[in-house]
Amino acid sequence: MGFHYDVTVAWGDCDEMGIVFYPNYYYWFDTTFHAFTRERGVSQRAIRERFGALGTPLVDTGARYRAPVRYDDPIRIVAEIESWSTRSFRLRYTVLRDGDTVAVEGHEVRAWVVPGPDGSFKAGTIPEAFREALA
Amino acid sequence: MGFHYDVTVAWGDCDEMGIVFYPNYYYWFDTTFHAFTRERGVSQRAIRERFGALGTPLVDTGARYRAPVRYDDPIRIVAEIESWSTRSFRLRYTVLRDGDTVAVEGHEVRAWVVPGPDGSFKAGTIPEAFREALA
Amino acid sequence: MGFHYDVTVAWGDCDEMGIVFYPNYYYWFDTTFHAFTRERGVSQRAIRERFGALGTPLVDTGARYRAPVRYDDPIRIVAEIESWSTRSFRLRYTVLRDGDTVAVEGHEVRAWVVPGPDGSFKAGTIPEAFREALA
Amino acid sequence: MGFHYDVTVAWGDCDEMGIVFYPNYYYWFDTTFHAFTRERGVSQRAIRERFGALGTPLVDTGARYRAPVRYDDPIRIVAEIESWSTRSFRLRYTVLRDGDTVAVEGHEVRAWVVPGPDGSFKAGTIPEAFREALA
C-alpha cells in the first residue's frame, strides 16, 4: 500500500553539528514521492502526457524531528497516501533510522494543477486513474 | 521586533515548472534565523562561547504555500518569535513576494541543546539573555 | 567591468568539518552569474524575449579551493568575463573572504542555446547585444 | 578497481530548462566518493578513528558537461582513483546516462588533513592503508 525509498546519509547532507540539515528531509520527501509515482506509472512526465496536468505543487508541508540522523546512517523514507480531496491529496512520510527508529514524521499536501490562461496554472480535479495508481 | 532577510530567487532555486523547489523555503527560513541571531549577537558561535550551548536544532517545521514564486522574483523573509517555552521556542516566517503578496507562511520550533554524555547532546534551559537578545 | 555578489555563509552551507560544502561554491557562481545578467538587463527571462534563446547551460566548470570558509564568514563572489567565443563564453570567479583573502578561484564556460527540433535545444551564435551588455 | 553509484534524477535536481542544475553533479561526485570510502572501510568516521585524520577536503574540482540529463533519467556515477600524491589524491568521475551515454566527466583533488594548532587543520601524509583500501 505504501512505498519506501532508501538512502544513506551523505557528507553534504549534514551540518556542523554532524546531524542532517533539516531542509534535506523535505528533499527526500519530494524524491520519495517522485520515485513512488514513477513506480506506479504516474510520474510528472506521465501525468502530463496522460492527463494534461502540469504537476503536483505543494500546498502544505511539515515535519517533526524525533531522533537525530547522522552522516553514514542508512535511512528509509516510507510514504503513504493519507487522504484524497477533489483537487489535492495528503501524503504521510516516516523516516526510519537503523531499521526501526522513527527519526522524522512529515507530510505533504499536493495540489493537482492544469494549464491556466497565458501560461499560468490553476487547480484541477484529480483523475480517478491517478488515485487508483497510488492506491 | 521582527527581522527580515531579502533574497532574489536564483535560477537553481526553481524546478522544471519554473517555481521555487519547496525545500528551498526551509533553507531560507534557517538562513533568516541565523542572520537574525547574528544581528542580535547570539549566533551559533556566540551561544557556544557565551552559554555553552551546542545549537538550536529543529523539533518541528512547517509551511503553507499560498502564491508561486519564480526565478528573479525578489522576496522578503520576515521572522518573528511566536512563543517561548523553557527549552524550546517557536518562530513564525512570512515570505513576501513583490513587496506585499504573502507567498509562504511557515514556522520552526527550535530546541536549546547542550552537551550530553559521550559527545551526544541533550535539551537544556534557554538562558534569559538569549531570550532578551531576540525580543 | 566585473560584478560582485556578497553573501554571508549560512549554517546549512557548511559540513561537519565546519567548512563550506564545496558544491555550494558552484551554486554561488551560478547565482552571481544570474545576478550579473539581471543587472545588465540580459537575464534568462530577458534573453528569451529579446533573442529567442533558451538559456546559457554549462559546458565546463571548475574551482580551486585555497582557504577555508566557515559559517558566518562574509564572502564576496567576483565575476568577470574572461573570453568570448562565437557560441560560448568563459567567466572567471574569485571568492574573497574577509575582504581580501582569496578563498576560491573558479570558472564557468557557458553555451548559448536556442530551440532545436522537437522541443530539444542546440547551440547558437551569441548576439552582439548580449556581449555588449556584459562588457 | 573503480566504484559506481546509481541514482535516478529527482524533480528537485533540475532547473527550469528541465536539465540537471549543475552543482548537483558535484554533490553526486562527493556522495559517490563517500559511498566508495564507506564500502572500503575508510569512511570519514573510520579515518578519524583509525588514522586521526580530520577529513579529505577539496583542493580542486571540475567537470565538463557533454550531454543533458533530465528528471527521471537513471544515471551512474563511476569513480576511479586517477593518481596519488603524498598529501593528496585525484579522482576521476564519469556520469553515464541510460547506460552508456557519457553525460559528464569530472574530477576531484582531495587533501588529507589532520588536526593543527588551536582547532585548525593542516595537510598530512596519506597513510598507506588508506591508499590500499581504495586500490
Side-chain angles (χ1 to χ4, degrees):
Chain A
M1 190 198 131
F3 177 83
H4 64 262
Y5 180 79
D6 291 336
V7 71
T8 300
V9 174
W11 182 253
D13 299 329
C14 297
D15 64 17
E16 200 179 312
M17 274 187 70
I19 59 175
V20 169
F21 179 56
Y22 87 85
N24 290 320
Y25 288 114
Y26 290 103
Y27 172 82
W28 290 321
F29 291 170
D30 187 81
T31 299
T32 300
F33 171 72
H34 287 294
F36 183 18
T37 57
R38 186 187 305 127
E39 193 199 57
R40 301 295 176 90
V42 287
S43 74
Q44 298 289 301
R45 292 272 181 272
I47 65 173
R48 288 187 188 189
E49 286 160 26
R50 287 177 58 185
F51 307 119
L54 277 180
T56 53
L58 281 306
V59 174
D60 185 305
T61 61
R64 281 168 295 152
Y65 311 92
R66 297 176 47 173
V69 177
R70 295 185 171 81
Y71 163 62
D72 258 0
D73 282 346
I75 57 173
R76 167 164 293 185
I77 300 105
V78 180
E80 291 163 289
I81 301 283
E82 207 166 65
S83 60
W84 292 98
S85 299
T86 309
R87 293 160 177 247
S88 67
F89 56 107
R90 185 181 171 100
L91 292 127
R92 178 173 44 214
Y93 296 96
T94 310
V95 180
L96 299 170
R97 191 197 67 197
D98 302 319
D100 58 0
T101 300
V102 174
V104 182
E105 292 174 310
H107 73 270
E108 286 181 334
V109 178
R110 288 176 174 271
W112 184 268
V113 302
V114 295
D118 298 322
S120 71
F121 47 80
K122 59 176 187 179
T125 301
I126 301 174
E128 187 59 28
F130 180 76
R131 202 180 293 218
E132 279 165 10
L134 297 186
Chain B
M1 187 197 133
F3 177 83
H4 65 261
Y5 181 79
D6 292 336
V7 72
T8 300
V9 174
W11 182 253
D13 298 329
C14 297
D15 65 18
E16 199 179 312
M17 273 187 69
I19 58 175
V20 169
F21 180 55
Y22 88 85
N24 290 319
Y25 288 113
Y26 290 103
Y27 172 83
W28 291 321
F29 291 169
D30 188 81
T31 299
T32 300
F33 171 72
H34 287 294
F36 183 18
T37 56
R38 186 187 304 127
E39 193 198 58
R40 301 297 176 88
V42 287
S43 73
Q44 298 288 302
R45 293 270 181 275
I47 65 173
R48 288 187 188 190
E49 285 160 26
R50 288 176 58 184
F51 307 119
L54 277 179
T56 53
L58 282 305
V59 174
D60 185 304
T61 61
R64 281 169 294 151
Y65 311 92
R66 295 176 48 173
V69 177
R70 296 185 171 79
Y71 163 62
D72 258 0
D73 282 346
I75 57 173
R76 167 163 293 185
I77 300 105
V78 180
E80 290 162 290
I81 301 283
E82 207 165 65
S83 60
W84 292 98
S85 299
T86 310
R87 294 161 177 246
S88 67
F89 55 108
R90 185 181 171 101
L91 293 128
R92 179 172 46 214
Y93 296 96
T94 310
V95 180
L96 299 170
R97 192 196 67 196
D98 302 319
D100 58 0
T101 299
V102 175
V104 181
E105 292 174 311
H107 73 270
E108 286 182 334
V109 178
R110 289 176 174 270
W112 184 269
V113 301
V114 295
D118 298 322
S120 70
F121 49 79
K122 58 176 188 179
T125 300
I126 300 174
E128 188 59 29
F130 179 76
R131 202 181 294 220
E132 279 165 10
L134 298 185
Chain C
M1 188 198 132
F3 176 84
H4 65 261
Y5 180 78
D6 291 337
V7 72
T8 301
V9 175
W11 182 253
D13 299 328
C14 298
D15 65 18
E16 200 179 312
M17 274 187 70
I19 58 174
V20 169
F21 179 56
Y22 86 85
N24 291 319
Y25 288 114
Y26 290 103
Y27 172 84
W28 291 322
F29 291 171
D30 187 81
T31 298
T32 300
F33 170 72
H34 287 294
F36 183 18
T37 57
R38 185 187 307 127
E39 194 199 56
R40 302 295 177 89
V42 287
S43 74
Q44 298 290 299
R45 292 271 182 273
I47 63 173
R48 288 186 188 191
E49 286 160 26
R50 287 176 58 184
F51 307 119
L54 277 179
T56 52
L58 282 305
V59 174
D60 185 304
T61 62
R64 280 167 295 151
Y65 311 93
R66 296 177 45 175
V69 177
R70 296 185 171 79
Y71 163 63
D72 259 0
D73 282 346
I75 56 173
R76 167 162 292 185
I77 299 105
V78 180
E80 292 163 289
I81 300 282
E82 208 165 66
S83 59
W84 292 98
S85 299
T86 309
R87 293 160 177 248
S88 68
F89 55 107
R90 184 181 171 100
L91 293 127
R92 177 173 46 213
Y93 296 96
T94 310
V95 180
L96 299 170
R97 192 197 67 197
D98 302 319
D100 59 0
T101 300
V102 174
V104 181
E105 293 173 310
H107 73 271
E108 285 182 334
V109 178
R110 288 176 174 271
W112 184 268
V113 300
V114 295
D118 299 323
S120 70
F121 48 80
K122 59 178 188 178
T125 301
I126 299 174
E128 187 60 28
F130 180 76
R131 200 180 295 220
E132 279 165 10
L134 297 185
Chain D
M1 189 199 130
F3 177 83
H4 65 262
Y5 181 78
D6 291 337
V7 72
T8 300
V9 174
W11 183 253
D13 299 329
C14 297
D15 64 17
E16 199 179 313
M17 274 187 70
I19 58 175
V20 169
F21 180 55
Y22 88 83
N24 290 319
Y25 289 114
Y26 289 103
Y27 172 83
W28 291 322
F29 292 170
D30 187 80
T31 298
T32 300
F33 170 71
H34 287 294
F36 182 19
T37 56
R38 186 187 305 128
E39 195 199 56
R40 302 296 176 89
V42 287
S43 75
Q44 298 290 300
R45 293 271 181 272
I47 65 173
R48 288 186 189 191
E49 285 160 27
R50 287 176 58 184
F51 307 118
L54 278 179
T56 52
L58 282 304
V59 175
D60 185 304
T61 61
R64 280 168 295 149
Y65 311 92
R66 296 177 44 175
V69 177
R70 296 185 171 80
Y71 163 61
D72 259 1
D73 282 346
I75 56 173
R76 167 163 291 186
I77 300 105
V78 180
E80 292 163 289
I81 301 283
E82 208 166 66
S83 59
W84 292 98
S85 299
T86 309
R87 293 159 177 249
S88 67
F89 55 108
R90 184 180 172 102
L91 292 127
R92 177 172 46 211
Y93 296 95
T94 310
V95 179
L96 299 170
R97 192 195 68 197
D98 302 319
D100 57 1
T101 300
V102 174
V104 182
E105 292 173 311
H107 73 270
E108 286 182 335
V109 178
R110 289 176 173 271
W112 184 268
V113 301
V114 295
D118 299 322
S120 71
F121 48 79
K122 60 176 188 179
T125 301
I126 300 175
E128 187 60 27
F130 180 76
R131 201 180 295 220
E132 278 165 10
L134 297 185

